[in-house]
Amino acid sequence: MGIIRKKKDKKSRRPSFKSVLTSILATQAAIFLLLLAGVSLAGTAAAFIATMPLFVVFSPVLVPAGITIGLLTTGLAASGGVGATAVTIILWLYKRATGKEPPKALSKILKKIIPAAGGGGGGGGGGGGGAAAPPAAAPAAKPAAKPPAKPAAKPPAKPPAKPPAKPPAKPPAKPAAPHI
């Protein structure tokens, strides 16, 4: 059976010097980090207790300021996300209407504005405003159909049409004589 394995008949295994040293150093690092966390928690609590009277005195100013800053931050993040989405939609429409990728210069500019726009010119969706980049396209459930053995023959090219013959040029008309 593959689930239950028999124990090998080895005498008691002794830990190696490297594993003992690693566990000692890891324990010391963990203790140091716990002490650092406790000191920072105590310092934060002391600073909060010391500044509490200032918060109470200045709360009529701080609360509206905090609300304003929160609204401004939310508005800027939302406008950035909506702008990035609009650019992505416009590029998708361009690609859909023309069947071509956007110009290289536009792609370079978009890489600076929307990092997720990458090489495709933003056609696959862009995450602006601090959003995570979209995941890579999942592989198809079934492999794509094989292309035909021979490509379809192109229709014969039309010979260039001859421009229509120009009518013979007439001499310019003489101006009428002035009547006095």
Side-chain angles (χ1 to χ4, degrees):
M1 290 186 186
I3 298 174
I4 300 174
R5 294 182 184 177
K6 294 182 180 179
K7 292 184 180 179
K8 294 182 180 179
D9 293 332
K10 283 190 175 181
K11 294 183 181 179
S12 63
R13 284 185 48 188
R14 292 179 37 194
S16 67
F17 177 74
K18 184 179 178 181
S19 64
V20 171
L21 186 62
T22 303
S23 62
I24 290 172
L25 290 176
T27 305
Q28 287 179 348
I31 291 171
F32 173 74
L33 291 174
L34 282 172
L35 287 174
L36 190 63
V39 168
S40 64
L41 178 64
T44 303
F48 184 68
I49 291 169
T51 57
M52 182 56 71
L54 291 174
F55 282 123
V56 171
V57 170
F58 291 113
S59 65
V61 174
L62 293 176
V63 170
I67 292 171
T68 304
I69 289 172
L71 288 174
L72 286 174
T73 304
T74 304
L76 287 173
S79 68
V82 169
T85 304
V87 168
T88 303
I89 290 171
I90 290 170
L91 289 175
W92 178 79
L93 287 172
Y94 176 84
K95 188 176 178 181
R96 179 96 177 191
T98 62
K100 296 187 268 182
E101 291 290 327
K104 297 268 184 189
L106 185 61
S107 295
K108 287 180 183 179
I109 293 170
L110 287 176
K111 283 180 188 177
K112 292 179 182 178
I113 296 173
I114 308 172
K142 295 181 180 178
K146 291 183 180 179
K150 292 183 181 179
K154 293 183 180 179
K158 292 182 182 179
K162 293 182 180 178
K166 293 183 181 179
K170 294 182 180 178
K174 293 182 181 178
H179 291 74
I180 304 184

